[in-house]
């Protein structure tokens, strides 16, 4: 799948550095959030999720932080690798049935 | 599990023709979602089903678009008649209501209407 292209914000990092991708969500009633990674020609792939009763969750090399006060979500990637180059989307569940609303996405470019 | 399977992978059609996109969700998942992705609008939710029943089709752009889920293992998204502005990548995703609600996406169908 071709990701949203020309107007995406881009984060450029050096291989080995840490990356932080930010997302502002819209609905204060949202209680579940997910980060997805989309590589060129593929569908979005689940990375990590967090519920609104938490403010931090860690996975393998990734950490998601949730600030409900300002409706902000961030994804931290430790020791970024070339394989991390992709478009990253945050998604929120505004409640009820488990439908997800996606943000516009951020392109992460990792340079050797 | 083979994941969410979409077909065809690519579709090129002429304006005015009918297009049918197909999706097989992950076995045991009871929610199915159709999304459209374009450069201008990003990922848009078109419609979703729960237990084969359409729950919300407010994202379907026009009456030219229709979606069905005749059983738990198959769904179609149909565009009739197709127009050039329908060109996009269409994704199907499925999820389970038990445990985490993360979706699993298919690889998408790239539709080009000329």
């Amino acid at each position: 799948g071709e990701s949203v292209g020309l107007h995406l914000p881009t984060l450029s990092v050096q291989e080995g550095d840490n990356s932080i991708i930010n997302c502002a969500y819209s609905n204060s009633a949202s209680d579940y959030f997910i980060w997805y990674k989309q590589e060129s020609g593929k569908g979005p792939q689940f990375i990590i999720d967090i519920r609104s009763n938490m403010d931090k969750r860690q996975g393998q090399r990734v950490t998601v932080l949730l600030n409900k006060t300002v409706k902000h979500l961030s994804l931290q990637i430790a020791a970024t690798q070339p394989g991390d180059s992709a478009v990253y989307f945050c998604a929120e569940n505004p409640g009820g049935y488990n439908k997800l609303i996606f943000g516009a996405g951020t392109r992460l470019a990792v340079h050797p | 599990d083979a994941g969410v399977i979409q077909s065809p992978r690519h579709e090129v059609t002429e304006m005015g023709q009918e297009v049918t996109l197909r999706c097989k969700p992950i076995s045991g998942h009871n929610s199915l979602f159709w999304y459209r992705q374009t450069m201008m609008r990003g990922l848009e939710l078109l419609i979703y089903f729960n237990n084969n029943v359409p729950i919300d089709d407010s994202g379907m752009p026009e009456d030219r678009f229709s979606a069905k889920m005749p059983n738990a293992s198959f769904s179609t998204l149909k565009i009739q008649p197709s127009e050039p502005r329908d060109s996009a990548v269409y994704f199907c995703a499925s999820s389970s209501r038990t445990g985490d609600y993360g979706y699993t996406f298919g690889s998408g169908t790239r539709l080009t209407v000329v």
Side-chain angles (χ1 to χ4, degrees):
Chain A
E2 196 172 273
S3 305
V4 180
L6 295 177
H7 304 290
L8 276 184
T10 298
L11 174 66
S12 294
V13 300
Q14 291 293 122
E15 181 178 356
D17 287 352
N18 297 332
S19 303
I20 299 177
I21 301 171
N22 297 304
C23 174
Y25 63 92
S26 57
N27 193 329
S28 57
S30 292
D31 59 0
Y32 180 63
F33 306 87
I34 307 179
W35 280 100
Y36 281 88
K37 172 186 181 183
Q38 187 175 24
E39 297 174 284
S40 181
K42 298 183 179 179
Q45 179 182 18
F46 175 95
I47 301 173
I48 190 169
D49 60 357
I50 189 168
R51 296 195 176 278
S52 58
N53 61 351
M54 304 171 68
D55 54 20
K56 181 179 180 179
R57 192 172 187 206
Q58 288 184 291
Q60 187 177 15
R61 281 203 308 120
V62 295
T63 301
V64 55
L65 299 177
L66 175 62
N67 185 331
K68 294 181 289 294
T69 303
V70 295
K71 293 190 287 187
H72 184 267
L73 200 63
S74 68
L75 176 70
Q76 300 177 0
I77 304 174
T80 313
Q81 302 168 0
D84 295 326
S85 294
V87 177
Y88 290 81
F89 294 94
C90 66
E92 60 182 302
N93 177 6
Y97 284 97
N98 57 332
K99 83 176 190 181
L100 292 177
I101 306 300
F102 283 79
T106 297
R107 186 181 302 280
L108 176 66
V110 182
H111 303 286
Chain B
D1 197 319
V4 176
I5 299 173
Q6 290 187 246
S7 65
R9 190 78 170 89
H10 302 275
E11 177 80 34
V12 180
T13 190
E14 291 185 346
M15 182 174 61
Q17 296 298 306
E18 177 180 296
V19 175
T20 300
L21 312 181
R22 297 173 176 79
C23 175
K24 181 181 182 340
I26 290 175
S27 177
H29 280 190
N30 59 352
S31 295
L32 183 141
F33 307 81
W34 283 100
Y35 280 83
R36 177 171 68 176
Q37 188 174 41
T38 62
M39 291 176 66
M40 294 303 296
R41 301 174 70 92
L43 272 163
E44 301 174 275
L45 176 63
L46 301 178
I47 184 171
Y48 69 100
F49 296 82
N50 194 60
N51 294 325
N52 312 339
V53 176
I55 302 300
D56 184 350
D57 65 354
S58 60
M60 297 285 262
E62 298 172 32
D63 291 345
R64 299 183 295 106
F65 286 69
S66 62
K68 295 182 179 179
M69 192 165 186
N71 57 62
S73 59
F74 184 65
S75 177
T76 60
L77 177 67
K78 185 177 294 186
I79 308 172
Q80 166 62 21
S82 58
E83 297 182 1
R85 61 193 169 118
D86 301 330
S87 297
V89 181
Y90 290 82
F91 287 104
C92 175
S94 69
S95 74
S96 170
R97 285 188 64 85
T98 59
D100 292 334
Y101 289 171
Y103 295 5
T104 301
F105 280 82
S107 297
T109 295
R110 182 186 299 276
L111 173 65
T112 303
V113 183
V114 297

